[in-house]
């Protein structure tokens, strides 16, 4: 099984030199810690920063410089600031190469639910609906099952949808899967995880073809 | 027209019960702190507030919620705020949640003389309910309308006596679009200078959009997530 850090580390291998990337809150944020050597990516923070740098030192803290998770951050050489309309112009016009998001549920058509649990306090979708409606490449980082052990990879979403047919790849604690027209195609297994485990934990249509390699770290 | 007013109380004094206000800021970053304090003192009620977030319990729009001044919030992300949650669950407060980019663009459209636009964000979701949808080049979009607001209240870093504004870092966020979108726009700035002192090359919001401007005092600039390396 993969730890949260290993899920992030595996997703980081999807990065290509020159990519503009938007990372969601939670596991996706950790992807920034594993950018492969020799590859330069530019992080977009939808509150109005392109070229997001690491957290500041105590001396560098600036209340006017935060990321979309409201954490204090820094700039890097080449960074730029802009307003929220410009930020979502970048997103909707498809200029962000990769979006990494967390999810509560994904179905085998690539629909995603990650903003609302009916009956519980609703916090809102923030920028997630804009991102999933337009991003060319969306990877979901999440646990394969919920706290009750139920599959989060479904045939039909049970929660309110955030966006339709948008998820391209899912990396969970158990495996890497691609969303295809035929359903979730198993591509890689986490160390120590069997195909049977993935089958049991996946409620949606699952495709297993050929030899499935193990994710190496 | 003279745009400079003495302080926040003077800037907000004509705001009345039942009005719709836009308030700039993302989280607590770039919020019009002085005007929020003045609105709490003014005690206006039944307000509709358009703002990306709703502040925290004891700061930002949270202060107005505490005084039961807000009838409706239009936001993209709320709920850093226990009083907000209580009022929402008890039905005292109405909330309309919108995708963040849609919220920004509805402000921008209002300031740009565009009544409506089509966006893919929210297609097929609850957000699309009751809205016109249309297909362009094989992709589905929903129609969103420009906001209509009585006042826009924004916070800038520097401003001049003609109303020209410069924002700092990510405190810019929703402020420039909202500044363009109010029937009346109030700008509070950390530093107010005579016209001519700001380089015209670096103005973010031209003064034509601003009706009232003043230099704020005692900025707290509270940080929500203080993260260091």
């Amino acid at each position: 099984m993969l730890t949260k850090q290993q899920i992030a580390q595996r997703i980081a291998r999807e990065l290509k030199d020159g990519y503009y990337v938007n990372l969601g809150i939670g596991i996706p944020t950790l992807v920034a810690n594993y950018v492969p050597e020799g590859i330069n990516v530019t992080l977009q923070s939808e509150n109005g920063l392109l070229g997001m740098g690491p957290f500041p030192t105590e001396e560098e803290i600036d209340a006017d410089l935060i990321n979309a998770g409201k954490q204090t951050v820094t700039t890097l050489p080449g960074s730029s600031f802009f307003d929220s309309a410009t930020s979502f112009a970048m997103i909707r016009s498809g200029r962000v190469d990769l979006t990494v998001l967390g999810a509560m549920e994904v179905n085998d058509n690539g629909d995603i639910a990650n903003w609302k649990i009916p009956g519980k306090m609703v916090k809102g979708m923030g920028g997630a609906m804009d991102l999933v409606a337009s991003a060319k490449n969306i990877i979901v980082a999440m646990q394969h099952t919920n706290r009750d052990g139920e599959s989060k990879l479904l045939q039909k979403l049970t929660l309110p949808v955030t966006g339709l047919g948008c998820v391209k790849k899912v990396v969970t604690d158990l495996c890497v899967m691609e969303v295809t027209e035929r359903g979730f195609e198993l591509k890689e297994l986490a160390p120590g995880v069997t195909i049977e485990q993935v089958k049991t934990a996946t409620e949606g249509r699952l495709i297993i073809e050929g030899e499935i390699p193990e994710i190496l770290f | 027209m003279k745009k400079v007013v003495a302080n926040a109380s003077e800037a907000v004094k004509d705001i009345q019960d039942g009005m719709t206000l836009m308030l700039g800021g993302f989280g607590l970053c770039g919020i019009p702190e002085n005007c929020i304090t003045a609105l709490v003192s003014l005690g206006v009620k039944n307000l509709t507030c358009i703002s990306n977030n709703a502040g925290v319990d004891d700061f930002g729009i949270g202060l107005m919620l505490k005084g039961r001044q807000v009838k409706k919030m239009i936001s993209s992300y709320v709920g850093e705020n226990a009083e907000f949650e209580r009022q929402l669950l008890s039905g005292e407060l109405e909330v309309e949640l919108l995708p963040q980019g849609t919220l920004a663009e509805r402000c921008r459209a209002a300031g740009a003389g565009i009544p409506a636009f089509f966006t893919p964000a929210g297609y097929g979701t609850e957000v699309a309910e009751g809205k016109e949808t249309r297909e362009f080049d094989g992709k589905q979009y929903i129609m969103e309308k420009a906001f209509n607001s009585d006042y826009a209240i924004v916070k800038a870093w520097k401003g001049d006596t003609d109303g020209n504004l410069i924002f700092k870092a990510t405190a810019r966020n929703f402020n420039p679009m909202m500044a363009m979108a109010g029937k009346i726009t109030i700008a509070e700035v950390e530093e107010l200078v005579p016209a001519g002192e700001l380089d015209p090359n670096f103005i973010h919001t031209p003064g034509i959009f601003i009706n009232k401007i003043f230099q704020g005092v005692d900025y707290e600039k509270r940080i929500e997530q203080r993260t260091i390396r």
Side-chain angles (χ1 to χ4, degrees):
Chain A
M1 300 236 283
L2 301 188
T3 62
K4 288 176 178 180
Q5 284 73 19
Q6 286 173 318
I7 292 174
Q9 197 174 352
R10 173 60 191 83
I11 290 173
R13 293 178 191 165
E14 304 288 322
L15 300 171
K16 292 194 171 71
D17 197 36
Y19 261 16
Y20 292 102
V21 181
N22 184 293
L23 300 175
I25 294 164
I27 302 174
T29 307
L30 302 174
V31 173
N33 300 336
Y34 299 101
V35 179
E37 200 144 329
I39 284 185
N40 274 304
V41 298
T42 305
L43 299 179
Q44 201 255 15
S45 189
E46 65 266 25
N47 58 317
L49 168 60
L50 198 56
M52 179 168 62
F55 293 147
T57 61
E58 192 69 51
E59 295 71 40
E60 287 171 334
I61 284 182
D62 179 354
D64 290 326
L65 181 43
I66 62 169
N67 65 15
K70 285 128 190 171
Q71 297 170 314
T72 45
V73 292
T74 55
T75 54
L76 293 168
S79 291
S80 58
F81 297 120
F82 36 84
D83 63 57
S84 303
T86 307
S87 179
F88 285 92
M90 296 171 192
I91 288 165
R92 281 191 310 262
S93 67
R95 285 170 167 84
V96 175
D97 299 290
L98 173 65
T99 296
V100 185
L101 287 169
M104 297 169 185
E105 294 176 350
V106 175
N107 76 7
D108 55 25
N109 298 318
D111 301 348
I112 179 171
N114 69 352
W115 76 282
K116 182 177 184 180
I117 302 175
K120 293 206 177 154
M121 173 59 194
V122 177
K123 290 182 188 276
M125 65 290 281
M129 281 191 185
D130 309 271
L131 282 159
V132 300
S134 303
K136 285 174 284 193
N137 189 7
I138 296 174
I139 298 179
V140 164
M142 67 176 190
Q143 304 300 320
H144 211 100
T145 54
N146 66 20
R147 285 193 189 116
D148 300 324
E150 296 162 340
S151 181
K152 295 168 72 174
L153 294 136
L154 307 171
Q155 288 188 43
K156 262 191 177 167
L157 300 181
T158 68
L159 296 170
V161 65
T162 308
L164 301 173
C166 52
V167 177
K168 297 284 185 289
K169 196 172 269 190
V170 183
V171 180
T172 73
D173 49 339
L174 300 185
C175 62
V176 178
M177 297 190 298
E178 275 177 19
V179 181
T180 69
E181 284 179 2
R182 296 180 295 150
F184 297 116
E185 187 173 339
L186 182 62
K187 303 301 279 188
E188 297 167 37
L189 281 170
V193 172
T194 64
I195 288 178
E196 278 312 309
Q197 272 176 285
V198 175
K199 277 185 180 169
T200 308
T202 307
E203 195 266 340
R205 290 175 297 160
L206 183 64
I207 303 155
I208 301 161
E209 284 173 352
E211 200 71 12
I212 311 296
E214 184 183 298
I215 307 166
L216 302 172
F217 290 98
Chain B
M1 193 185 110
K2 186 180 171 295
K3 299 188 181 193
V4 178
V5 296
N7 52 38
S9 322
E10 199 185 322
V12 304
K13 68 178 169 44
D14 297 325
I15 294 178
Q16 288 161 23
D17 290 354
M19 281 187 165
T20 298
L21 314 181
M22 285 178 173
L23 294 128
F26 182 96
L28 301 177
C29 183
I31 61 172
E33 294 182 19
N34 279 227
C35 283
I36 288 170
T37 304
L39 284 166
V40 170
S41 303
L42 189 66
V44 279
K45 293 213 179 328
N46 288 319
L47 300 171
T48 295
C49 292
I50 301 167
S51 184
N52 190 55
N53 314 89
V56 295
D57 271 329
D58 59 346
F59 201 57
I61 293 175
L63 297 171
M64 293 163 67
L65 289 165
K66 203 179 256 179
R68 309 272 194 88
Q69 294 178 273
V70 184
K71 177 185 70 178
K72 181 176 181 183
M73 277 303 310
I74 302 175
S75 303
S76 87
Y77 193 83
V78 293
E80 314 283 1
N81 189 319
E83 176 61 14
F84 181 96
E85 188 169 347
R86 192 195 65 71
Q87 290 185 23
L88 180 63
L89 295 174
S90 71
E92 293 162 64
L93 179 68
E94 195 186 330
V95 177
E96 182 180 348
L97 292 168
L98 292 169
Q100 198 174 121
T102 298
L103 188 78
E105 198 64 15
R106 287 179 69 174
C107 294
R108 204 198 74 82
I114 291 174
F117 57 92
F118 285 89
T119 176
Y123 177 78
T125 75
E126 286 176 19
V127 169
E129 284 170 15
K131 291 173 184 166
E132 185 182 332
T133 61
R134 201 179 289 186
E135 184 181 311
F136 295 93
D137 297 327
K139 185 167 173 167
Q140 297 292 337
Y141 297 81
I142 63 178
M143 189 173 81
E144 293 281 3
K145 291 180 179 169
F147 283 124
N148 204 340
S149 80
D150 298 297
Y151 275 81
I153 304 175
V154 304
K155 151 83 196 317
W157 179 36
K158 292 180 180 177
D160 71 20
T161 50
D162 279 356
N164 296 303
L165 304 179
I166 297 174
F167 302 93
K168 190 183 148 213
T170 56
R172 190 181 322 183
N173 54 64
F174 284 82
N175 284 298
M177 289 88 63
M178 289 185 174
M180 294 166 65
K183 284 197 191 81
I184 297 172
T185 295
I186 299 169
E188 59 173 85
V189 299
E190 288 177 54
E191 188 185 349
L192 183 65
V193 299
E197 282 199 16
L198 300 178
D199 184 339
N201 283 302
F202 297 105
I203 301 296
H204 294 132
T205 296
I208 192 169
F209 294 109
I210 307 301
N211 302 96
K212 299 181 185 192
I213 189 167
F214 67 94
Q215 182 169 305
V217 292
D218 302 329
Y219 281 101
E220 181 180 332
K221 295 196 183 185
R222 196 181 291 187
I223 294 171
E224 275 182 84
Q225 306 284 340
R226 191 183 187 89
T227 43
I228 52 172
R229 59 168 180 263

